[in-house]
Amino acid sequence: NKLVYSKTLFPACYDATSNPKRKTEEFQFGEMSEEEIFVQNEETGIPYRYRLMVRPPFYKVYNFDYSRHNETQLLVGWDYAPTFSNAFACPVFMLLYFIPEIRAAALRSQALNSKMAIQSGTGDRRERISITTELGLLFHLLESLSANGAAFPDAEINPCVPSNIVSSLLLLPEATNLALLDGVAGATEIAKRPEALYRFIMHYMDKEIEQSSDANSDPTSHSSLIDPIQGINFVSVIEYSTGKPKVSSSRALTVDLCYDHKLYNKAETSLNVRFGDILRFSLCKEVPLRAWCDESSSYESVIQRKIATSLPKLLSLSCCCAGKLGYKNGLQFWKQRDKRNWLPEYIEVEIALDRSVVVRELVSRDDENEEWVEFKSHPLSSSIFDNVDDGFKYPTTKKYQLDAVCSFIRNNGSESIEGHHVIHVRAPKNLECQALRRQIINLEKFIAGREIESRATEGGGKDCHMTIASRVSSSTLQQRKLKLQQQLETALRGHSEDAKERCEWLLFNGFVVTKTTHDDVRSFTANFKEPSLVLFREIDDVNTIKCPTDVRDQAYVEIPTSVMNTTSISGSSDTKHSTSNLPGKGDLVAIDAEFVCVQAEESRITSAGSKEITSQPRNSLARLSIIDCRSNIVLVDDFVFQREQVSDYLTRFSGIRESDLDPNTSPHHLVTMQEAYLKVRLLMDRGCIFVGHGLREDFRIINISVPPSQIIDTSFIYHQPNQRYISLRYLTNYVLGRDMQQEIHDSIEDARAAYDLYTKALSLRERGKFDEYLTSLYSHGHRTQFKLRVRDEENDPPVN
């Protein structure tokens, strides 16, 4: 023990990652002193809020304290390790959530996949996927996790696992053809990948929304959403020395920052190179080259210009300088040491009457005063723009404020991965108020339901259900509600006072969410931080900032009951249910889910000879079984078609074989991932109570957040504090006296066993013998090491 746990001898014998009892800096975010943090930062060169944080492999979701890593306790991050496939997409999805127009449109589209999906590929139904719909389901998950967290026993806000939408990218041939995804030949390096993905999603969503509007007869529906808020008109002009100029027009949703080679000379001579100069050149490019002239029938020296002729509400900039070759592509401008905040917080863009582009940025002087610095392009010849009828009035001017930044954090050389992405977002206070209201409303529902159950019990009715929410006392719920109401009052007062205080900057680094300052957002002088995406939003004036948000809560969308009737991909019989007899509020449904592994665990042996896990395994939903406990009828028994290649079918645990998920050979009812999700979502929205074993992990992989008042988890019911969790198979063997899963694993059998265990627990509790029985259960387990089919009748008689 001295060798293993001694501070001095331990490093000489074992690697630090091999000892779960040792407190390492990665997982003690809220417990380190300032001195310890300073020492750690000196060693790594990366502040804690930026460092790569990964949930250790020896922690499960339900026993890892995420709350220490979330400073807001309202807005959630993501728990999707950078070692997972296409993990770079998670910051982009989170960035889209904080664009209110996109958030509202996606939440409205949760049940519109069939209308919005763009036909592609061979026309197979499996390839029809809507990114807008998947975003809506993800945004609903983000808001549900926040709303439901306050009612769990630990009052913890867990991060989301966006595995469904990440895997949906694999179904889009365009994403593969554009080399956006991991494992595709010619893919852009990981540092720049979010820029390409953001641009692709914007164009794809615009096409989906336009297609949905064309199919919708409602005249009030929006025919286009993305283009009106982000679209920019460009005029391309090729000026010949002898012939007439050639003029063409185009439209873009993002602007690529271009670093004029003339400016490199300025940087080398230490002259002032500011962001406004770069943006001005990017909106009005001038490139000298040689091109063919039809009039002179020869090659001539020409000037090619591409000039912006309109300004968007949301100015999206692709920085185009992150990565290994960043310093050759313009990164040195962001790293100028004499300008700590090279990225301005406020800019003004003007398209003058002569079509010249003027960019002004608000900079801080040495005397702490602020001034506007102007950068202007050369005017166009009247012979050119007089022939361009773009329908806009000039001059036009718009002021912008910095709204979001996506950055690439380059890890140390000792790390197993190159780096990861984080985002800074300007979160409006009224978004915080909405999250607080949702938490308060949910707590009020739980408290009201608790009072109804108490009155029913006192009147001789059935005892209340043993849900996860029932583990929290009514007084505790009332205290939490009072605390949230006080936070809401404080937030509302702050919202009405100072315009600049109506928003706060948040840093999302995986499941680590911290509050930060605008200086931290704008600074890129540190070697580890490189810019990827920058978003500016239009404002009226610098001193009267408006933080846009949804006018109303768009999270609730009614899921139609028709989602229960699905067509099998494999061609087997379709499922048909009477929608009038579906279980509703307060009805019990037993559920069990089986999974397959789509990304195997990866590890390496350290120099000390210990095993270090470099990539945790990742599972995907493969089978979903739901039983109506009122009639013991199987409502759902679906096998799920996999979007990703399966690395391990986990047959010994799941009972799933390769042929079960193959559309050509499967004899089962095979559905898509989204169809399986919507069935669970429908039952949740109808108020059903789910009975199962280990449901928090199941719901996490399904990508759904179920209120704790609708979860009955036998793994928590048959559990004592500071003791191990008992497997379903052992509980069934001991409590119910029957063996299960001997040869073929069956999820329907698991669901029924979980319900039977729950009814047994209810019976024992009504007779006041449950605690005694639970103690004897653990005593027997410790004596037999929790092995199956070992029963000591003399020392451990069961309670009947």
Side-chain angles (χ1 to χ4, degrees):
N1 286 338
K2 186 176 181 181
L3 285 173
V4 174
Y5 299 118
S6 164
K7 291 184 178 180
T8 56
L9 297 179
F10 174 81
C13 302
Y14 295 94
D15 184 74
T17 56
S18 64
N19 177 17
K21 293 185 178 180
R22 183 184 176 99
K23 293 185 177 181
T24 59
E25 69 275 10
E26 286 87 354
F27 315 115
Q28 302 299 324
F29 180 76
E31 299 182 6
M32 298 187 68
S33 65
E34 292 184 3
E35 181 180 357
E36 290 174 311
I37 292 177
F38 176 78
V39 172
Q40 298 289 347
N41 292 342
E42 286 296 312
E43 293 176 354
T44 63
I46 302 178
Y48 253 83
R49 61 186 179 277
Y50 286 110
R51 293 190 64 186
L52 174 62
M53 303 288 285
V54 180
R55 176 169 51 87
F58 46 82
Y59 275 105
K60 297 295 183 183
V61 176
Y62 50 79
N63 59 12
F64 181 71
D65 188 5
Y66 287 104
S67 61
R68 290 187 298 112
H69 306 280
N70 191 329
E71 195 174 341
T72 68
Q73 292 300 306
L74 290 173
L75 303 173
V76 303
W78 64 90
D79 185 5
Y80 204 79
T83 52
F84 289 167
S85 177
N86 299 310
F88 72 92
C90 299
V92 178
F93 297 143
M94 184 63 68
L95 186 67
L96 295 175
Y97 176 76
F98 284 94
I99 301 177
E101 297 91 346
I102 294 178
R103 180 172 68 245
L107 287 171
R108 288 193 299 265
S109 307
Q110 295 178 66
L112 301 178
N113 185 77
S114 59
K115 293 182 179 180
M116 305 194 73
I118 298 174
Q119 184 70 44
S120 60
T122 61
D124 195 324
R125 187 174 69 93
R126 287 168 284 161
E127 296 184 6
R128 291 179 58 84
I129 195 73
S130 168
I131 287 295
T132 309
T133 298
E134 290 287 345
L135 279 173
L137 300 179
L138 174 63
F139 295 166
H140 177 271
L141 173 63
L142 291 172
E143 297 186 349
S144 298
L145 285 166
S146 173
N148 296 332
F152 277 97
D154 51 10
E156 182 176 328
I157 308 296
N158 286 337
C160 73
V161 181
S163 55
N164 284 357
I165 187 171
V166 172
S167 63
S168 69
L169 295 174
L170 300 173
L171 300 182
L172 302 176
E174 297 90 340
T176 303
N177 297 336
L178 293 172
L180 298 178
L181 308 179
D182 291 343
V184 179
T188 309
E189 63 175 311
I190 196 68
K192 293 184 178 180
R193 203 85 61 81
E195 304 173 35
L197 180 64
Y198 178 85
R199 185 185 304 109
F200 168 74
I201 291 178
M202 290 297 98
H203 283 279
Y204 207 86
M205 284 186 65
D206 199 52
K207 289 169 59 179
E208 288 184 340
I209 295 173
E210 185 175 359
Q211 172 179 288
S212 174
S213 301
D214 292 341
N216 192 347
S217 58
D218 185 4
T220 63
S221 63
H222 299 285
S223 60
S224 183
L225 171 70
I226 309 299
D227 188 82
I229 64 172
Q230 289 194 215
I232 307 176
N233 287 336
F234 283 93
V235 172
S236 297
V237 181
I238 300 179
E239 298 182 34
Y240 296 93
S241 58
T242 59
K244 294 182 179 180
K246 289 185 177 180
V247 181
S248 62
S249 60
S250 61
R251 191 163 174 85
L253 299 180
T254 60
V255 176
D256 292 342
L257 290 183
C258 298
Y259 306 91
D260 185 5
H261 291 284
K262 296 178 183 178
L263 297 178
Y264 284 79
N265 298 328
K266 288 187 180 181
E268 292 173 358
T269 57
S270 301
L271 293 178
N272 191 2
V273 180
R274 303 219 57 101
F275 175 84
D277 211 357
I278 302 292
L279 180 59
R280 190 273 313 163
F281 177 75
S282 303
L283 295 176
C284 187
K285 302 175 190 175
E286 299 179 9
V287 180
L289 49 82
R290 291 185 64 81
W292 179 263
C293 179
D294 293 334
E295 294 187 13
S296 63
S297 300
S298 63
Y299 284 97
E300 294 184 2
S301 296
V302 302
I303 296 180
Q304 185 180 40
R305 305 176 191 269
K306 186 176 181 181
I307 305 169
T309 59
S310 68
L311 298 175
K313 296 179 181 178
L314 187 67
L315 181 61
S316 301
L317 305 178
S318 184
C319 298
C320 304
C321 63
K324 297 178 181 179
L325 301 178
Y327 279 91
K328 293 183 178 180
N329 297 328
L331 186 59
Q332 66 269 34
F333 297 119
W334 297 78
K335 299 291 185 182
Q336 296 178 76
R337 294 288 178 179
D338 59 334
K339 299 175 183 59
R340 178 176 178 83
N341 297 325
W342 186 76
L343 177 65
E345 187 173 9
Y346 301 102
I347 61 174
E348 182 179 83
V349 183
E350 176 187 354
I351 301 177
L353 189 62
D354 57 6
R355 303 304 197 273
S356 62
V357 176
V358 182
V359 175
R360 305 177 185 92
E361 63 171 285
L362 190 63
V363 299
S364 299
R365 300 185 311 198
D366 295 337
D367 58 2
E368 298 185 357
N369 292 323
E370 295 179 331
E371 65 176 352
W372 289 94
V373 180
E374 181 177 287
F375 307 91
K376 186 174 181 179
S377 65
H378 299 294
L380 276 182
S381 171
S382 59
S383 62
I384 297 175
F385 64 76
D386 286 345
N387 296 325
V388 179
D389 184 14
D390 47 24
F392 292 96
K393 295 181 179 180
Y394 299 99
T396 178
T397 304
K398 288 189 178 182
K399 288 186 173 68
Y400 294 93
Q401 71 172 356
L402 186 62
D403 212 44
V405 178
C406 178
S407 307
F408 179 70
I409 306 302
R410 189 170 296 281
N411 296 333
N412 292 333
S414 59
E415 299 285 352
S416 58
I417 60 175
E418 180 182 351
H420 62 285
H421 291 88
V422 303
I423 63 166
H424 289 87
V425 294
R426 186 192 294 270
K429 287 289 186 180
N430 44 14
L431 190 63
E432 175 187 348
C433 294
Q434 287 182 5
L436 286 169
R437 289 191 185 99
R438 282 192 290 266
Q439 289 187 352
I440 293 172
I441 290 173
N442 273 14
L443 284 179
E444 289 175 344
K445 291 179 180 179
F446 299 152
I447 294 171
R450 185 73 59 82
E451 293 175 352
I452 293 174
E453 290 179 344
S454 299
R455 288 196 296 268
T457 303
E458 293 173 359
K462 292 184 179 181
D463 204 355
C464 61
H465 291 300
M466 301 170 69
T467 63
I468 290 181
S470 66
R471 301 162 64 90
V472 186
S473 65
S474 298
S475 60
T476 301
L477 292 176
Q478 289 285 2
Q479 292 174 0
R480 292 179 183 177
K481 175 186 171 184
L482 180 61
K483 182 179 178 181
L484 291 174
Q485 288 175 336
Q486 293 172 349
Q487 292 180 13
L488 179 60
E489 292 175 0
T490 303
L492 290 173
R493 283 197 301 270
H495 176 67
S496 60
E497 292 173 357
D498 186 2
K500 290 192 175 183
E501 297 298 327
R502 294 177 186 174
C503 302
E504 64 177 349
W505 281 103
L506 299 178
L507 169 61
F508 288 82
N509 178 15
F511 55 78
V512 180
V513 183
T514 54
K515 297 180 181 180
T516 186
T517 64
H518 60 87
D519 289 333
D520 178 55
V521 178
R522 298 157 56 201
S523 177
F524 286 89
T525 56
N527 292 330
F528 61 84
K529 187 179 178 185
E530 301 173 7
S532 180
L533 279 166
V534 174
L535 270 61
F536 283 92
R537 177 171 287 277
E538 180 188 4
I539 58 173
D540 295 332
D541 187 76
V542 173
N543 297 318
T544 57
I545 299 171
K546 295 182 180 180
C547 294
T549 185
D550 297 338
V551 177
R552 55 181 178 174
D553 189 356
Q554 301 281 357
Y556 178 76
V557 172
E558 185 175 357
I559 304 298
T561 56
S562 59
V563 300
M564 297 296 292
N565 301 322
T566 52
T567 302
S568 175
I569 296 175
S570 61
S572 63
S573 59
D574 299 341
T575 58
K576 294 187 180 298
H577 298 280
S578 174
T579 56
S580 60
N581 196 33
L582 288 175
K585 185 175 179 60
D587 294 331
L588 300 184
V589 291
I591 183 173
D592 185 70
E594 304 297 344
F595 308 103
V596 293
C597 182
V598 293
Q599 185 168 339
E601 176 184 285
E602 297 179 5
S603 61
R604 66 183 181 93
I605 303 300
T606 65
S607 58
S610 63
K611 176 183 176 182
E612 178 184 355
I613 297 177
T614 58
S615 177
Q616 299 182 32
R618 183 165 58 89
N619 295 337
S620 174
L621 177 66
R623 185 181 179 184
L624 178 68
S625 299
I626 302 177
I627 301 173
D628 188 347
C629 297
R630 301 173 301 172
S631 58
N632 202 30
I633 294 176
V634 177
L635 283 177
V636 177
D637 186 25
D638 293 341
F639 286 72
V640 181
F641 176 74
Q642 296 303 299
R643 296 170 173 173
E644 303 175 74
Q645 177 129 11
V646 178
S647 61
D648 188 352
Y649 286 88
L650 305 174
T651 307
R652 60 194 181 281
F653 304 116
S654 65
I656 304 292
R657 293 179 172 83
E658 182 177 2
S659 60
D660 294 332
L661 305 182
D662 188 343
N664 300 318
T665 60
S666 177
H668 310 291
H669 189 74
L670 195 63
V671 300
T672 64
M673 195 81 66
Q674 190 178 116
E675 288 172 336
Y677 163 88
L678 288 175
K679 293 181 181 183
V680 180
R681 171 76 179 277
L682 173 66
L683 296 175
M684 180 191 74
D685 290 349
R686 290 176 65 87
C688 297
I689 299 177
F690 297 91
V691 184
H693 191 84
L695 290 183
R696 291 188 73 171
E697 183 70 15
D698 291 355
F699 290 145
R700 176 175 175 269
I701 298 180
I702 296 174
N703 283 192
I704 193 169
S705 175
V706 179
S709 60
Q710 293 178 239
I711 302 176
I712 298 175
D713 197 331
T714 53
S715 67
F716 287 95
I717 293 176
Y718 289 91
H719 177 254
Q720 286 184 333
N722 303 320
Q723 296 284 348
R724 62 172 285 177
Y725 287 89
I726 305 177
S727 69
L728 177 63
R729 186 176 182 185
Y730 184 86
L731 286 174
T732 304
N733 180 266
Y734 181 88
V735 178
L736 304 179
R738 66 175 189 243
D739 292 336
M740 64 181 300
Q741 306 173 3
Q742 293 300 311
E743 296 180 359
I744 299 177
H745 191 99
D746 188 358
S747 59
I748 294 180
E749 181 186 10
D750 288 0
R752 287 199 171 105
Y755 178 67
D756 292 341
L757 286 170
Y758 172 62
T759 56
K760 179 69 174 180
L762 274 181
S763 175
L764 291 170
R765 190 180 68 168
E766 290 175 357
R767 290 181 287 164
K769 296 183 178 181
F770 181 74
D771 293 337
E772 175 189 351
Y773 188 80
L774 190 58
T775 301
S776 66
L777 169 63
Y778 271 98
S779 298
H780 178 273
H782 290 312
R783 288 197 302 270
T784 62
Q785 298 182 352
F786 291 94
K787 293 181 179 178
L788 293 172
R789 296 183 298 277
V790 179
R791 192 137 189 149
D792 189 346
E793 299 290 346
E794 180 179 353
N795 295 328
D796 192 22
V799 179
N800 297 322

